[in-house]
Amino acid sequence: MRQLRHVVCAGMVLAATSCITPTKSKQTTTTKPAPLPVAGTTPAAAPAAGSERGAGAAAARTAPKSFKAFFDAAKLRSQKGLIPTYWQDDKYYFEIPNTLLGKDLLTVTRFARMTAGASLYGGEMTNQNVLRFERGPENRVFIRTVLNVVSSPDSTKPIFQAVRNSNLDPIAAAFDVKAFNRDSSGVIIDVTEFFKGDNQIVSLNPRTKRQLGLSAIAADRSYVENISSHPNTTEVRSVKTFTVTPAAPSMVPVPGAPATLPAANAAGAVTIETNTSFIRLPENPISRRFFDPRVGYFADQISEFTDTSQRANSETYIVRWRLEPKAEDIERYKRGELVEPKKQIVYYVDPATPDKWKPYILQGINDWQKAFEKAGFKNAIVGKEWPKDSTMSLESAGYSAVRYLASDIPNAYGPNVHDPRTGEILESHIGWYHNVMKLLHNWYFVQAAAIDAGARKMKFNDSLMGDLIRFVSSHEVGHTLGLRHNMGSSSKTPVEKLRDKKWVEANGHTASIMDYARFNYVAQPEDNISRDGIYPRIGEYDLWAIQWGYRWSDKSEEADRAEGNKMIVDNLGKNPRLWFGGEGRNDDPRAQTEDLGDNSMKASEYGVKNLKRVMKNLPEWTREEGDRFENLNEIYGQVLGQFNRYTNHVIRNIGGVQETFKSIEQQGSVYEPTPKAVQKEAVSWLNRQVFTTPTWMLETSILNKIADLNGNDVATMQNSALNNVLSASRLVRMQESASRFGKGTYNAMDLLADVKAGIWQELRTGKAADLYRRNLQKNYVERLIALLPNTASTSAPAAAIAFAGITNTRNSDVSSIARGHLTELQAEIKAAAGRTSDKLTRYHLQDLSQRIAQALDPK
């Protein structure tokens, strides 16, 4: 018996993070008709925003006229398409046929041209909604914003009414019916003022307006540029002018404050050009593929209510493009033969992209063809240059594109627009910031200059930069195919394999291009590894993920779910490199950004060796005629930043909890502590590389050219590392881990003993402590004092502590351990102060002894 299923869409639950991807086949392109003329924009024709006329309703309604009576055939211009469109006497009209009523339409609003200084750019999306037209009373047409998507609406079942009563969609706009269409199978509405105004569903979203500090729309300076209708989309281009109050001048950026826009200061107004695309959601929705945390896909989530269920079910399904074999190829596909899909995935490259980089972006797109072959499809995806003299619109949601944005932001990102009912991806506009090349240069310089002579300069040759662009292109395209970051993928490569020339050049240094594993910083100069073993590439995991997500099936959703689970269990059992480690937001040291290999300490040891080589040559490799040491300063900062990454990779192992999602068919635990030996190895590395003063970072011939005496970046990095190691959350987690997993687990007392042995060596040796050690020792004492119950962070009410996101140690073992440790340390400090012959070290120790005494007994 078929169950009635009411589905309420809860929106995307796994959001994209940025980052910060052929064979010719037939492609049908619809020729875009010439847009309708620009409507007049005189003040007399433009009512104030929010007026009844602006919402499409006249104060005194008149009965709808016939088509012939309303329009003058001599003046009328029209376009057929998704929404038939008419233009007469500077006004735009939509024809809403009865067949369109109640149908889901997706609207995507993008900036076509943007004001300067907004950090938002032409081509970027600002709004997205699902809308429905419906007939209202008194000869009106309503637009509802669809917040809740209901599937299989059998109104005869009792639960239908319950779902309906609790999920009423808002009426976002209302229009008078001006006339009937030619055969009276639909109605005509005037949409001129609707698109000229600031109607939220087809304008900027509220967050963007707050970000820019925009106020009311200036109706006399806003107008419809054109409307064009096509078989699958209707496009509305509008120019909107907003009044704006210039932001108050500030020497320091204020979080949440509106952007400072030159137009606001010069004119008190901001003009923005937008493009809104109307797309009809598929009449034949794609079958959902249910989400599984063992394969990394973005997803949407729904709650399902059925007459036969005993509870509301939460279902999560992945987002993916529709790939289906042609009817005549289905049997060939089922036999395992490669077939071409009914519809190819096409990405166009923005014509504004510099010509020399276009081939590399296209290669990054086409590199995914081999992945889709694993799912049974050949020529499934292709990158193309934007056709010359094309009438197509880059802003249209009818095309996917890589948009080149003139921005100094060093980044790129890959979003997608999808059907909220099923997760079917409909289009994507990848954002490609011009300054991503600076990011690529600095990454490659500090991570590869020790082993690649081509990286030892401030401007790379085009072939090297092109290769780096290609890898970023592939990564961002991967996101638009539905793939999330797989930060755990690199942990499945043994560290020593990263130095094995034959192996790493054949397999790559990580199993996924969706990892943040930039370049092979482990390889040493004597390994003679080529760029094939340095660059990221589409790897084993990526091929597997595309196979799992894009395999075509004509089975039921439940049967498909069972098949997908079996694929995961079988394939992960055979090949651990297919593991999805998540986004790196948990406490699992195997899933980290920017790291390499299966052992952070070994990989970072090799990384530091290469950084020392880079540091030694920085003055020479950054040298450019006329440079005032800006290059040296920039790359020194990059070296320090890379060293800090290695440090954080190591710290993540301390108190680490490995999370490996499994189904009931798989053996072993989902959660396990990082082995004690690995945690001790991490502390040993920190004591040796970080808490022992890293003198190689303190080359005075460099610092004297780039750094004044008002800050100490190395000391700041050391103290940040120590604060991280001794954080309350880590110590509490380690005690919880010891309680659950037993005495063999590395606990907070073990950690303090090992860190103390490194940071406080001078207590045993009697040697003088240098500036960096004195700073660290003071910070060590202050961190432990902060864990005592009488400090501000632990004496506040528990509710206030939780609200502030502070780990409450008041009633945990951690405060007791901190007190006991400080008591023992004070005795050792007093004894050492009497033995040292260095006056400043003695003052330092006496100061610390007094601080501890006051903390232990504030009275």
Side-chain angles (χ1 to χ4, degrees), residues 294-305:
R294 295 167 293 179
V295 190
Y297 274 85
F298 295 116
D300 256 352
Q301 189 178 66
I302 58 172
S303 293
E304 292 186 343
F305 301 87

Side-chain angles (χ1 to χ4, degrees), residues 113-156:
R113 299 174 66 190
M114 190 57 181
T115 188
S119 295
L120 298 167
Y121 305 92
E124 294 192 291
M125 188 169 70
T126 180
N127 210 346
Q128 177 181 329
N129 288 287
V130 177
L131 308 177
R132 287 188 192 132
F133 288 99
E134 67 176 43
R135 289 295 298 270
E138 300 178 354
N139 287 315
R140 287 181 297 178
V141 170
F142 293 152
I143 292 181
R144 285 192 188 267
T145 301
V146 181
L147 304 179
N148 311 289
V149 180
V150 180
S151 176
S152 301
D154 186 346
S155 59
T156 65

Side-chain angles (χ1 to χ4, degrees), residues 534-653:
I534 302 175
Y535 295 159
R537 69 181 76 170
I538 293 171
E540 290 177 73
Y541 166 80
D542 306 308
L543 303 181
W544 149 247
I546 293 296
Q547 178 187 8
W548 183 87
Y550 281 89
R551 71 189 190 282
W552 179 78
S553 174
D554 55 3
K555 299 177 181 178
S556 69
E557 289 182 340
E558 289 303 323
D560 183 77
R561 190 206 300 262
E563 180 182 89
N565 178 65
K566 186 176 187 305
M567 285 180 65
I568 293 170
V569 172
D570 291 347
N571 283 274
L572 284 179
K574 296 173 185 176
N575 186 358
R577 284 173 63 80
L578 304 183
W579 180 61
F580 173 67
E583 302 273 1
R585 299 191 180 111
N586 55 15
D587 300 309
D588 193 334
R590 301 172 302 170
Q592 301 195 59
T593 65
E594 321 286 345
D595 70 329
L596 292 180
D598 61 350
N599 184 295
S600 300
M601 287 62 70
K602 292 179 181 178
S604 297
E605 191 80 18
Y606 285 126
V608 169
K609 284 185 178 181
N610 279 337
L611 286 183
K612 289 178 179 179
R613 295 180 176 108
V614 173
M615 273 292 295
K616 182 179 179 181
N617 292 281
L618 267 191
E620 176 187 349
W621 293 351
T622 61
R623 181 181 179 84
E624 287 184 316
E625 186 174 351
D627 175 48
R628 298 190 301 275
F629 303 112
E630 287 95 342
N631 292 345
L632 184 62
N633 185 41
E634 179 180 345
I635 303 302
Y636 176 84
Q638 293 294 317
V639 172
L640 180 63
Q642 189 67 22
F643 182 38
N644 192 48
R645 290 189 190 101
Y646 298 153
T647 299
N648 287 324
H649 294 161
V650 171
I651 292 173
R652 190 78 162 273
N653 288 271

Side-chain angles (χ1 to χ4, degrees), residues 715-736:
T716 298
M717 186 272 293
Q718 288 180 302
N719 284 316
S720 177
L722 182 59
N723 291 343
N724 194 350
V725 170
L726 301 183
S727 68
S729 61
R730 188 181 309 279
L731 296 173
V732 169
R733 184 170 65 251
M734 293 178 75
Q735 287 303 103
E736 292 286 346

